[in-house]
Amino acid sequence: MAEVVAIAITFPEKRSSAYAMSPQAKRPRATIVMTLDSKREITYTVPVRVARLFAQDEPELPCLFEHARALLLGLEERTCMAVLIEMLSRRDHSIDEASRKLSLAGYFPSSVESAITRAQSYGYLNDATFAQRFVSSRKARGWGRRKIEQELRHKGVDVDAIPGYPDDFFSVDDEVERARAVLARKHIPETRAFEKLVKHLMGKGFSYGAASDAVKERLANDTDQLL
């Protein structure tokens, strides 16, 4: 059986230009090269965190390749789960969002799938729960339904698959009431007030119907106050 006779670990520079430019870019990764007794080299590209742990617990050489490989993959899978738990402790994530972040961090697809499945079984990841909390928080920020749904889809949430959606999440009266609340903080333009205010509300994700009703009411109330 093949034996590992040398292990070389190369870490990236502390600040990767790709990482600094965009949080959506792939994270810097480390390279682990295992040299076998046959002179063959086997290379693994892993997250820096995994490489550091492997360096701390590097197997005594020479050792069987399968032993070194199992050690590395075991560390990678456990670290992937730990990173996922840390992510979820900071804020809620959709399943797709969490998967993409772990993939960008450099974890193997099998580790990502395993971590996501375990998190779902523990109840840590649930798109229905995520959607409920997301909608509630964004409504409080003055977002309209269209913008909320756009962001949910961007996070990989199939809103049509969420139980009770949309009736349990939105109502026409609620949408108009929240549009009114947004307008209450908005100065009325001196020209083309109706057009500009409707456009402002629609930019926040409100439907034309809800926006126009709220604007008409606001302009009517302001006119009454001037009489």
Side-chain angles (χ1 to χ4, degrees):
M1 299 181 70
E3 286 192 334
V4 177
V5 296
I7 296 176
I9 303 176
T10 304
F11 292 95
E13 296 181 4
K14 288 188 177 181
R15 292 300 297 173
S16 165
S17 58
Y19 179 73
M21 288 174 57
S22 170
Q24 299 302 318
K26 290 184 177 180
R27 302 301 188 262
R29 305 179 192 184
T31 301
I32 298 176
V33 179
M34 298 184 187
T35 302
L36 306 184
D37 50 2
S38 63
K39 306 301 182 184
R40 178 188 173 193
E41 292 184 344
I42 299 179
T43 302
Y44 294 94
T45 303
V46 298
V48 172
R49 185 168 173 175
V50 174
R52 285 176 179 157
L53 290 173
F54 186 74
Q56 294 172 9
D57 194 26
E58 190 173 312
E60 184 176 346
L61 301 178
C63 72
L64 291 175
F65 167 68
E66 289 301 324
H67 171 70
R69 179 177 180 276
L71 175 62
L72 175 61
L73 297 185
L75 281 173
E76 202 264 357
E77 186 169 314
R78 290 194 297 274
T79 304
C80 183
M81 186 64 189
V83 169
L84 175 57
I85 297 301
E86 291 170 5
M87 285 166 42
L88 296 176
S89 70
R90 291 191 289 270
R91 70 167 179 83
D92 291 331
H93 286 68
S94 68
I95 293 171
D96 182 72
E97 182 184 21
S99 298
R100 284 189 279 114
K101 280 192 174 183
L102 292 173
S103 296
L104 284 171
Y107 291 96
F108 299 145
S110 58
S111 296
V112 174
E113 182 179 355
S114 174
I116 294 296
T117 299
R118 289 175 63 189
Q120 287 180 272
S121 69
Y122 297 153
Y124 299 158
L125 270 177
N126 183 297
D127 274 356
T129 301
F130 173 80
Q132 290 173 349
R133 294 173 178 169
F134 186 87
V135 170
S136 179
S137 67
R138 292 330 187 250
K139 285 168 71 173
R141 294 186 188 181
W143 288 22
R145 174 178 168 180
R146 291 168 61 182
K147 184 175 181 180
I148 291 173
E149 289 181 344
Q150 182 180 20
E151 285 300 305
L152 282 173
R153 292 191 175 96
H154 178 70
K155 292 179 180 297
V157 177
D158 180 4
V159 295
D160 295 328
I162 301 300
Y165 198 92
D167 295 343
D168 293 348
F169 294 77
F170 300 98
S171 71
V172 174
D173 291 342
D174 173 63
E175 190 88 342
V176 174
E177 181 60 36
R178 288 188 297 106
R180 291 193 192 107
V182 173
L183 283 181
R185 304 188 296 270
K186 185 73 175 173
H187 173 72
I188 296 180
E190 294 183 0
T191 61
R192 297 163 48 219
F194 178 81
E195 177 186 340
K196 290 178 180 178
L197 291 177
V198 168
K199 183 178 180 180
H200 174 72
L201 288 175
M202 292 185 68
K204 287 186 170 294
F206 291 95
S207 67
Y208 176 80
S212 62
D213 286 348
V215 172
K216 288 175 184 176
E217 182 179 315
R218 171 69 188 276
L219 294 178
N221 288 340
D222 274 45
T223 300
D224 291 342
Q225 291 175 13
L226 292 175
L227 296 177

